[in-house]
Amino acid sequence: MAKKIAMLIGVSEYGADIPPLSSALNDVAAMERVLQNPNLGNFTQVERLLNPDSVAMRIAIQKLFKNAGKEDLLLFFFSGHGITNDDNHLYLATCNTAKDNFEATAVDANFIQIQSKNCYSKRQVLILDACYSGAFANGWHKKSIGVDIKKQLGAEGRVVLTSSGATQTSFAQDGATLSLYTQYLVEGIETGAADNDGDSKIYVQELHAYAKAKVQAVKPRMTPDIILDREGYDILLAYAPKNPEAEYRQLVEQYAQNGELGEFAFLVLTPKRKSLRITDTKAKEIETEVLEPFRRRLANLQSYKQAFAEVVEQKYPLDEHILNILKDYQQDVLGLKDEDVASIQLEIKSVKEAEYQIQKQREKEEYANNLRLYEREFTKAVQSQYPLDEYARNRLKQLHQSLGLKNEHIKRVEEIILTPIEKTEKLRKELEKEEYQKQIQIQKQQKAERWQRQREAEASEQLRKQQEAEKNKFGYELKTFQFELRMVDTSAREIGRITKSAEYFPEDLANGVFLEMISIPGGTFIMGSLSCEGDDDERPQHQVTVSPFFMGKYPITQLQWRTVAALPQVQQSLHPNPSKFKGANLPVENVSWYEAVEFCARLSMKTGRKYRLPSEAEWEYACRGGTTTSFHFGETITSDLINCSGSDTYSVEPKSRFPKETTNVGYFEVANAFGLYDMHGLVWEWCADPWHNHYHGAPTNGSIWEDGGDQHRRVLRGGAWNFSAELCRSASRSWNEADGGLRICGFRVVLSV
């Protein structure tokens, strides 16, 4: 005859460094009560084992599975600590298990699996109410209970219930008699609440589903699980009590919503009490038991809110250490998910954040005032004595330390004040070296003459090839010139030179003055900078496809400017000589965007071709010349490559001396792969586009971005002689008022194909 046999093991006391569990023995007593009850579990044999050592526990487990018959129903229940090793392998702790020897003194979960698989009984229920009990599923077929399960009483198989997922602890309850999972297993049987379909039978999967829902109502992060030996298998475990109280409880379970019973629910519940002859006191007791999990969860949320508010009040902003403690309290103690506490954190932090920002603003203003005070004192000191002696230096150092100023801010203030003084001092010393100055001038003149001879040789070669070249669609014969492409590494060491050639045509401006227009092939490139380089206005990076066009080989020179400025006016007048630095082959500067547009309009009227300023995308595409590095010749610069400020180095290159004024166009004899010169440094170059603070929504076809933006501000690209190398990168951007002209603002023109 088939028997129903249960082995209940509870361990409440342990060895060193493992805390006791007050609920474990109570769990065993509660399970024993419902299983032995002839109207509920009706088990014929229920044995319990309390606080066994590892040997006694193994013997009891082996005896349970070894002595069972094929038709017997076995139930194994364990309440106590579960421990996993580094491989996530589960051990059940015994009374002689200590933290540093658990693998030798605890019962290996694999031992239980082996005994279960070798058992004659084909109906087995294993219940583990232990920390990390979900790890017991390793190597077993696992099936969610969220399927339509066909009950097959007597079919072969086993069912394992675990109180927590494989990576979770099983949460204890403060001040509770039973552990959370066991409480609702017992409640589901004893009250009949687990009888989901009302057939008066409680199957294992019905019981687990009820307990899981109740557990997660209290602590959402705790995820009890079920392991089925085969799909669709289920075991009849107990019978639901049939009495008025059980019927009333089912109604309360049905009508409860989010832990509350609305007033409309009592339209049914109140008369039902009378028909079932249940006292108001008993009915209230049943309602409290049903709603208790939800109310405990609300209590946990309130506990977290109080703790979070206290921490924020003591220290804000919260550092990583405090956040980690709060996270452990939220998850491991209260069992709450991140989404459960998100609104609490937002409510409390929003008020504190406003106070914090006000305080930061006050500190910022106070710091600015202190910095201005230091600036005044430093100015007085250097006006009365330069260079400063040791006494003055020490006094200023004490002042900046007492004001709490950062060294980098002090350095910047001193640099701004000392720069004109140092320039004056330097000029005085240079005037004393008249012979040295003469030599420098001679070298400059020689270099200019070499450059001029090279230009004349190029012009002669262009004239020779003019008759042989094919005419382009503008009626000009394209000519070819050769140049040397140089590449450097991050230390500015040259790593290669390549001889290349490019096609161009000379536009005759008048009186023997020509404008050389380089043919730029179309192509696709990535515009902008990565997050590790440059500013936010250079992002996001995006792909742009550019059509072929012509671009000026050099920035517009002062001679070219004067020649075009003499042509008839289109919209506005042009000053024939606006530049601060004077020289025919120096780049024109100190011109506004509107004046650059007027230059293009006059040139277009003279030639019959539509000259214009480049779009920002065309400019960067032309500057890069097919490269993706910071500069078209590599990752850094030197004074042999471009004309910019030498105040700071860009990478790990040696610090260089730069001219600190504009130089003739092409002076550095360094072109990019398209044959364009002076794309980095020298003068900022106007582009046609209005200014946008980012590239979100930027066109991808290389056209001028006219939509939106600040129409009164126009884009500048390329950097200038008095700007740092950082601002001379291919992707660097800046702007100026469209009607403003500075000695840093020049331009070059383009012509669409």
Side-chain angles (χ1 to χ4, degrees):
M1 182 177 177
K3 295 178 292 183
K4 298 175 72 174
I5 304 170
M7 168 59 70
L8 313 178
I9 300 177
V11 183
S12 62
E13 299 174 358
Y14 305 90
D17 297 325
I18 299 181
L21 286 176
S22 60
S23 62
L25 303 187
N26 296 330
D27 290 345
V28 169
M31 288 296 295
E32 182 181 29
R33 182 176 72 247
V34 296
L35 294 179
Q36 283 185 334
N37 190 319
N39 297 321
L40 300 175
N42 194 29
F43 272 66
T44 56
Q45 180 180 336
V46 179
E47 295 186 12
R48 61 179 181 173
L49 188 62
L50 305 179
N51 289 324
D53 60 20
S54 56
V55 175
M57 187 166 164
R58 288 192 187 91
I59 291 173
I61 293 170
Q62 186 179 48
K63 178 181 176 182
L64 171 69
F65 290 104
K66 185 176 182 180
N67 295 336
K70 181 177 180 180
E71 301 302 323
D72 292 342
L73 169 61
L74 294 188
L75 185 143
F76 172 75
F77 174 83
F78 175 82
S79 177
H81 277 301
I83 308 174
T84 56
N85 62 13
D86 292 340
D87 296 325
N88 201 35
H89 190 74
L90 177 65
Y91 294 82
L92 302 184
T94 66
C95 69
N96 61 329
T97 300
K99 188 175 182 179
D100 60 355
N101 65 8
F102 72 90
E103 290 180 293
T105 58
V107 175
D108 190 337
N110 188 52
F111 173 78
I112 303 173
Q113 291 179 336
I114 292 173
Q115 301 303 315
S116 173
K117 290 178 180 179
N118 293 335
C119 180
Y120 287 118
S121 171
K122 302 305 178 183
R123 290 186 295 153
Q124 303 175 27
V125 179
L126 287 73
I127 303 175
L128 303 181
D129 194 347
C131 301
Y132 308 106
S133 55
F136 191 74
N138 291 344
W140 285 41
H141 176 66
K142 181 178 176 183
K143 186 67 179 179
S144 169
I145 65 169
V147 297
D148 183 15
I149 297 169
K150 178 182 179 182
K151 298 182 176 69
Q152 299 179 18
L153 180 60
E156 295 185 352
R158 63 178 64 83
V159 179
V160 181
L161 308 183
T162 64
S163 62
S164 63
T167 59
Q168 299 172 320
T169 58
S170 183
F171 297 95
Q173 305 180 81
D174 293 336
T177 303
L178 303 180
S179 65
L180 195 59
Y181 185 57
T182 298
Q183 174 186 338
Y184 293 117
L185 290 177
V186 172
E187 180 182 290
I189 297 174
E190 205 161 39
T191 65
D195 179 18
N196 186 52
D197 54 9
D199 63 355
S200 298
K201 298 175 181 178
I202 298 177
Y203 289 84
V204 169
Q205 297 193 40
E206 282 183 312
L207 180 60
H208 173 75
Y210 173 82
K212 179 178 181 180
K214 289 291 187 176
V215 166
Q216 291 190 317
V218 179
K219 296 188 174 181
R221 280 198 74 248
M222 189 170 170
T223 56
D225 210 348
I226 188 167
I227 306 162
L228 301 179
D229 195 43
R230 61 182 63 200
E231 184 175 351
Y233 175 71
D234 209 348
I235 294 176
L236 175 61
L237 186 63
Y239 293 92
K242 275 299 180 182
N243 53 56
E245 293 178 1
E247 184 177 346
Y248 186 75
R249 178 181 292 274
Q250 288 181 342
L251 283 175
V252 175
E253 292 272 7
Q254 179 182 344
Y255 293 153
Q257 185 176 19
N258 296 326
E260 297 292 339
L261 285 170
E263 59 179 314
F264 291 109
F266 286 100
L267 295 177
V268 176
L269 293 175
T270 301
K272 197 67 177 178
R273 294 178 188 174
K274 296 178 180 180
S275 65
L276 294 174
R277 297 183 179 181
I278 298 175
T279 65
D280 290 346
T281 301
K282 187 61 179 179
K284 191 66 177 177
E285 179 183 330
I286 293 172
E287 292 163 7
T288 300
E289 288 179 0
V290 172
L291 300 179
E292 181 258 353
F294 303 98
R295 291 173 177 170
R296 280 164 58 189
R297 177 171 178 266
L298 292 176
N300 287 344
L301 288 171
Q302 185 60 36
S303 296
Y304 182 83
K305 182 176 183 179
Q306 180 178 350
F308 190 81
E310 290 175 357
V311 170
V312 168
E313 187 62 34
Q314 292 173 8
K315 183 177 182 180
Y316 188 84
L318 303 179
D319 58 33
E320 185 176 358
H321 176 69
I322 295 297
L323 288 172
N324 288 337
I325 295 176
L326 283 170
K327 177 69 74 172
D328 290 342
Y329 179 62
Q330 166 205 327
Q331 296 182 346
D332 296 342
V333 177
L334 301 178
L336 298 172
K337 296 181 181 178
D338 291 345
E339 52 265 35
D340 296 329
V341 301
S343 60
I344 293 175
Q345 294 175 344
L346 180 61
E347 174 190 351
I348 295 172
K349 286 173 63 177
S350 59
V351 176
K352 200 65 177 179
E353 178 66 19
E355 298 174 357
Y356 175 73
Q357 291 301 330
I358 292 173
Q359 179 61 29
K360 290 293 288 184
Q361 183 61 31
R362 290 173 180 168
E363 293 174 357
K364 185 177 180 181
E365 292 172 357
E366 181 181 356
Y367 188 89
N369 291 333
N370 289 343
L371 194 61
R372 284 191 288 271
L373 173 60
Y374 181 85
E375 181 180 355
R376 290 194 297 270
E377 293 301 315
F378 186 81
T379 302
K380 292 178 183 177
V382 296
Q383 286 176 345
S384 62
Q385 179 191 69
Y386 182 81
L388 298 175
D389 59 22
E390 185 176 358
Y391 171 78
R393 275 287 178 191
N394 288 336
R395 185 178 63 82
L396 289 168
K397 183 177 181 180
Q398 292 174 357
L399 175 62
H400 107 248
Q401 290 176 343
S402 66
L403 295 175
L405 301 175
K406 295 182 179 179
N407 290 333
E408 58 265 30
H409 296 158
I410 292 297
K411 182 179 179 182
R412 181 59 180 159
V413 166
E414 294 180 353
E415 185 179 273
I416 292 172
I417 296 172
L418 290 177
T419 296
I421 298 174
E422 290 174 345
K423 283 185 177 180
T424 302
E425 182 68 14
K426 183 179 180 181
L427 180 60
R428 183 186 65 79
K429 292 179 179 179
E430 287 178 349
L431 290 174
E432 295 174 354
K433 301 177 181 179
E434 184 175 352
E435 191 62 31
Y436 173 78
Q437 288 294 321
K438 289 181 180 179
Q439 187 63 31
I440 294 297
Q441 288 301 115
I442 292 172
Q443 291 176 0
K444 287 184 177 180
Q445 183 63 31
Q446 289 174 344
K447 193 166 187 177
E449 290 172 356
R450 288 198 304 272
W451 178 83
Q452 184 62 30
R453 286 195 297 271
Q454 180 183 348
R455 290 291 304 277
E456 291 172 355
E458 289 177 355
S460 176
E461 180 66 12
Q462 291 167 359
L463 183 62
R464 185 184 66 79
K465 293 181 178 180
Q466 186 172 5
Q467 300 301 321
E468 301 172 358
E470 295 182 0
K471 287 191 174 183
N472 62 20
K473 61 171 53 181
F474 298 100
Y476 278 93
E477 295 176 351
L478 290 179
K479 304 178 180 183
T480 302
F481 76 99
Q482 289 188 333
F483 58 93
E484 205 169 48
L485 182 65
R486 294 171 58 184
M487 294 162 286
V488 298
D489 61 14
T490 55
S491 300
R493 292 191 298 267
E494 186 169 304
I495 58 175
R497 295 194 181 198
I498 302 174
T499 300
K500 295 180 67 69
S501 62
E503 292 184 321
Y504 74 102
F505 73 86
E507 182 71 82
D508 188 353
L509 302 183
N511 302 320
V513 180
F514 290 87
L515 173 61
E516 294 174 272
M517 299 297 293
I518 304 297
S519 175
I520 308 297
T524 299
F525 78 113
I526 300 299
M527 185 174 181
S529 297
L530 294 170
S531 59
C532 61
E533 181 183 59
D535 298 320
D536 288 342
D537 59 20
E538 301 171 21
R539 287 179 279 278
Q541 279 194 324
H542 57 291
Q543 182 172 288
V544 179
T545 299
V546 179
S547 300
F549 61 98
F550 288 89
M551 176 177 262
K553 185 177 182 180
Y554 309 103
I556 296 299
T557 66
Q558 295 179 27
L559 177 58
Q560 292 167 338
W561 173 271
R562 286 197 299 272
T563 303
V564 173
L567 297 175
Q569 177 176 326
V570 177
Q571 292 291 339
Q572 67 176 68
S573 62
L574 293 179
H575 192 294
N577 193 13
S579 302
K580 299 297 182 182
F581 301 106
K582 307 299 184 183
N585 289 318
L586 292 176
V588 68
E589 25 85 8
N590 201 32
V591 296
S592 71
W593 182 84
Y594 289 114
E595 290 170 330
V597 171
E598 174 69 14
F599 179 98
C600 295
R602 295 191 188 187
L603 181 57
S604 299
M605 180 176 290
K606 176 186 185 304
T607 62
R609 283 165 288 280
K610 189 171 179 59
Y611 282 89
R612 58 178 174 81
L613 294 176
S615 72
E616 189 176 8
E618 287 174 331
W619 193 98
E620 185 169 332
Y621 172 75
C623 177
R624 289 187 179 278
T627 65
T628 58
T629 51
S630 299
F631 305 90
H632 63 63
F633 34 69
E635 289 291 358
T636 190
I637 56 93
T638 69
S639 58
D640 295 325
L641 298 174
I642 73 170
N643 185 350
C644 71
S645 169
S647 59
D648 294 301
T649 58
Y650 181 74
S651 182
V652 295
E653 76 277 5
K655 198 165 184 178
S656 305
R657 292 170 59 88
F658 289 83
K660 299 187 178 181
E661 61 185 6
T662 60
T663 48
N664 286 338
V665 298
Y667 173 82
F668 291 89
E669 303 177 356
V670 181
N672 70 3
F674 290 150
L676 299 171
Y677 290 76
D678 301 316
M679 295 299 287
H680 299 299
L682 193 54
V683 289
W684 284 100
E685 298 184 14
W686 287 112
C687 292
D689 306 57
W691 174 255
H692 296 76
N693 291 327
H694 50 72
Y695 285 145
H696 293 289
T700 59
N701 61 357
S703 61
I704 299 169
W705 190 5
E706 289 287 1
D707 297 340
D710 189 342
Q711 299 292 331
H712 299 292
R713 297 175 178 177
R714 296 288 167 162
V715 174
L716 289 168
R717 298 299 293 259
W721 59 272
N722 59 343
F723 278 73
S724 68
E726 168 70 18
L727 298 177
C728 296
R729 295 174 294 104
S730 299
S732 177
R733 309 173 67 222
S734 188
W735 59 267
N736 195 8
E737 302 293 339
D739 58 359
L742 301 173
R743 57 185 175 143
I744 58 172
C745 296
F747 66 102
R748 67 179 81 206
V749 298
V750 299
L751 186 64
S752 298
V753 174

